[in-house]
Structure formats: structure tokens, C-alpha cells
């Protein structure tokens, strides 16, 4: 074969190889987009979000709005299990996560405070399992909780060991514990979604998960990157609020943009809940309805 023939044959072969690699990539991207568009937005409300005097009235409002998750507080949850089960009976609403409610904290230096955490947290976890909840939200330590273990590698190792035991207990109850990173004004120990996911990984228990909160995610460089850092394996819950003063999504105008984060949730196939944890700056029924419509529009855009 002379040089001209060789180059001609090589060019044809190279083009064929390139085409064969490009076509599947395009198909894969298309399939990925289609799969992302099939992911549903499961909206959840904490108990104080919907208007209404009674739990039944709040749930009626939620059901009419198409909200499918209910996030109660963990405080006193053991005594409310039947009440909540009865209230949700016949509705298309399930318990999402349980918002804390325990006493003490896991990184307390005082053994009595740590014991208080162990006792009350396990009681809430048991109730969460009875309710079919996705998990109980917890923060290892708030800034104001003292005396607290120092921010060291040894403390992190200790936390992972304690979370392993707690996670295995939660798993036996059919639920999880969910680590919530906070902004630096509220907690020093765990501020990024990736931090929470890495601690969940190192706890080495399927009963330990992580979450993200759009309000606290001011610590992140990217909403998209934050959720992708946890992935579907560890991301168990999401909180949402307006991004200026923590009111209803949409109350702070253009800054209330969640599309980047929603795109990540859709791409990882996130099938849990996006739950309102926020205040309200006006007529509750009007602003809550507008916020739900905003989230659905941005989810569609994502």
C-alpha cells in the first residue's frame, strides 16, 4: 500500500471510530435527559407551613395543593404516632423526614447530656419507623451547645463510631438518621453537603444518610455540586426556603432560584422529598400556593 492509499484508509477508519464513539454518547445523553425528566418533584411541608387550625385542616390544604409529604417535629412524636397515622389514613400524603426533637447532643462532653441524646433520639427513631418515615434529622452540635468535643480528627472518628451504632439501630427500625449540614453562623462542625455525605459513608451503616438545605447551602460554591457530592446513595432529604430571609420560596424575588440544585436532583434520580422549612411574610394561603407553583415551574425548567 502506498502512502496516499494508507492515509485515505486511515482517515476513513478514524472517522468510523469517531462516529461510533460519538453516536452512543449522544444517545446516552438523550436517554439521561429523558430519565431526568421522569423524576417527580415530591413536595413536603413541615407541620407549621400550611394554613389551618387543626392537623386535618392543614392536611386538607396540602392534599388540594398536591403536596405528598408531611414533616412533623420529633418532639413528643412517640405519643403522636396514632394521631398522625389516623390523620393520614386515606390520603395521598406520607410522612417524609422527622425534624429533630431530641434532647442533648451527640458530641456533648458531659456524659449526662450525651445519654439524654441517646435515649430521646432512639425513642424518636422508633416512632419514625412506625410512621414509615425516611429518617430523623440531626445536627451533631450547634454553636451554642457546650461543653462540646473539639473540632478534631479524633472527634470525627468518635462521631462516625457513634453514628454507626445509631444507624444500625435506625435500620432495624426501618428508617435512617439524616445528617444536616448548617451554615457557619449556626454550627461549626459540618457545613457542606459533601461533609455530611462523607461522614455518612465513614459511619459505615445504611442507616446513616445526609441532606441538603437550600438556606444553609449558602456555604456551598454550587447547588449542583453540593447535591452531586452526596448522590442518590447518601442524599435522603432536602429542605427549602427563600434565599434572602428564609421565608416562602419566591418571597425574595430573583435570588430564589433553585434550578441548578433541581437539575442535580433530577440527574441523580432523587426520589425522596423537598420539604418546606421556612417562615411566611404575608398571607399564608396565597404565598404557600405561589411557592409550590414556583418550585414546580423551576423543576420543569431543570
Amino acid at each position: 500500500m502506498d502512502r496516499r492509499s494508507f492515509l485515505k484508509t486511515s482517515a476513513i477508519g478514524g472517522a468510523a471510530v469517531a462516529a461510533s464513539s460519538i453516536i452512543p454518547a449522544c444517545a446516552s445523553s438523550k436517554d439521561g435527559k429523558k430519565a431526568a425528566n421522569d423524576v417527580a418533584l415530591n413536595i413536603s411541608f413541615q407541620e407549621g407551613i400550611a394554613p389551618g387550625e387543626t392537623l386535618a385542616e392543614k392536611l386538607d390544604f396540602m392534599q388540594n395543593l398536591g403536596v405528598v409529604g408531611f414533616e412533623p417535629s420529633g418532639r413528643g412524636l412517640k405519643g403522636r404516632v396514632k394521631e398522625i397515622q389516623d390523620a393520614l389514613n386515606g390520603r395521598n400524603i406520607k410522612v417524609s423526614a422527622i425534624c429533630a426533637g431530641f434532647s442533648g447532643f451527640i458530641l456533648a462532653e458531659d456524659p449526662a447530656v450525651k445519654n439524654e441524646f441517646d435515649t430521646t433520639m432512639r425513642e424518636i427513631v422508633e416512632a419514625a419507623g412506625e410512621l414509615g418515615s425516611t429518617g430523623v434529622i440531626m445536627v451533631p452540635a450547634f454553636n451554642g451547645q457546650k461543653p462540646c468535643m473539639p473540632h478534631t480528627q479524633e472527634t470525627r472518628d468518635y462521631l462516625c463510631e457513634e453514628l454507626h451504632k445509631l444507624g444500625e439501630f435506625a435500620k432495624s427500625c426501618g428508617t435512617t438518621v439524616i445528617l444536616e449540614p448548617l451554615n457557619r453562623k449556626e454550627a461549626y462542625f459540618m457545613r457542606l453537603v459533601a461533609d455530611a455525605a462523607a461522614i455518612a459513608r465513614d459511619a459505615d451503616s445504611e442507616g446513616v444518610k445526609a441532606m441538603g438545605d437550600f438556606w444553609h447551602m449558602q456555604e456551598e460554591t454550587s447547588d449542583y455540586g453540593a447535591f452531586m457530592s452526596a448522590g442518590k446513595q447518601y442524599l435522603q432529604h432536602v429542605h427549602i426556603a427563600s434565599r434572602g430571609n428564609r421565608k416562602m420560596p419566591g418571597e425574595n424575588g430573583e435570588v430564589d432560584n433553585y434550578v441548578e440544585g433541581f437539575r442535580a436532583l433530577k440527574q441523580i434520580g432523587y426520589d425522596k422529598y423537598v420539604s418546606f422549612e421556612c417562615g411566611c411574610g404575608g398571607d399564608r394561603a396565597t404565598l404557600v400556593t405561589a411557592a409550590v407553583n414556583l418550585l414546580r415551574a423551576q423543576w420543569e425548567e431543570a
Side-chain angles (χ1 to χ4, degrees), residues 93-297:
I93 300 173
K94 294 185 179 356
V95 175
S96 58
I98 306 299
C99 190
F102 47 84
S103 301
F105 61 108
I106 197 169
L107 294 182
E109 286 189 336
D110 184 339
V113 176
K114 170 59 165 55
N115 185 61
E116 195 176 3
F117 167 80
D118 289 336
T119 302
T120 56
M121 181 64 170
R122 279 164 173 73
E123 183 179 280
I124 296 168
V125 167
E126 285 182 327
E130 289 184 64
L131 290 168
S133 168
T134 55
V136 181
I137 298 167
M138 62 167 286
V139 174
F142 287 89
N143 288 339
Q145 291 180 311
K146 301 180 186 300
C148 182
M149 298 177 71
H151 192 183
T152 63
Q153 182 62 47
E154 289 74 19
T155 296
R156 188 185 187 280
D157 292 342
Y158 168 82
L159 175 62
C160 289
E161 291 169 6
E162 291 299 300
L163 285 172
H164 176 81
K165 292 184 281 189
L166 184 57
E168 291 299 287
F169 175 75
K171 190 169 69 170
S172 74
C173 295
T175 188
T176 67
V177 293
I178 306 172
L179 299 172
E180 181 176 18
L182 304 181
N183 67 74
R184 67 189 63 214
K185 293 177 182 177
E186 294 187 38
Y188 76 90
F189 192 82
M190 191 175 63
R191 299 196 306 268
L192 303 177
V193 175
D195 291 339
I199 289 171
R201 176 200 63 201
D202 293 346
D204 193 27
S205 169
E206 286 297 315
V208 182
K209 301 293 183 181
M211 66 170 285
D213 182 316
F214 278 100
W215 166 255
H216 293 296
M217 282 163 55
Q218 59 190 281
E219 295 284 340
E220 306 282 352
T221 57
S222 162
D223 292 344
Y224 180 91
F227 289 135
M228 293 299 280
S229 71
K232 189 174 183 180
Q233 181 177 359
Y234 295 109
L235 193 67
Q236 191 78 349
H237 197 59
V238 172
H239 275 163
I240 199 161
S242 71
R243 311 201 82 166
N245 58 3
R246 210 176 186 181
K247 301 295 186 182
M248 290 294 157
E251 286 197 53
N252 295 144
E254 292 183 1
V255 297
D256 291 347
N257 188 313
Y258 313 96
V259 173
E260 183 187 331
F262 283 175
R263 186 171 295 121
L265 295 180
K266 292 176 86 168
Q267 287 183 6
I268 66 174
Y270 178 73
D271 57 2
K272 302 300 189 299
Y273 296 90
V274 175
S275 193
F276 280 49
E277 183 183 55
C278 51
C280 184
D283 179 72
R284 186 168 291 275
T286 301
L287 291 175
V288 169
T289 301
V292 168
N293 290 335
L294 173 71
L295 297 197
R296 286 178 175 148

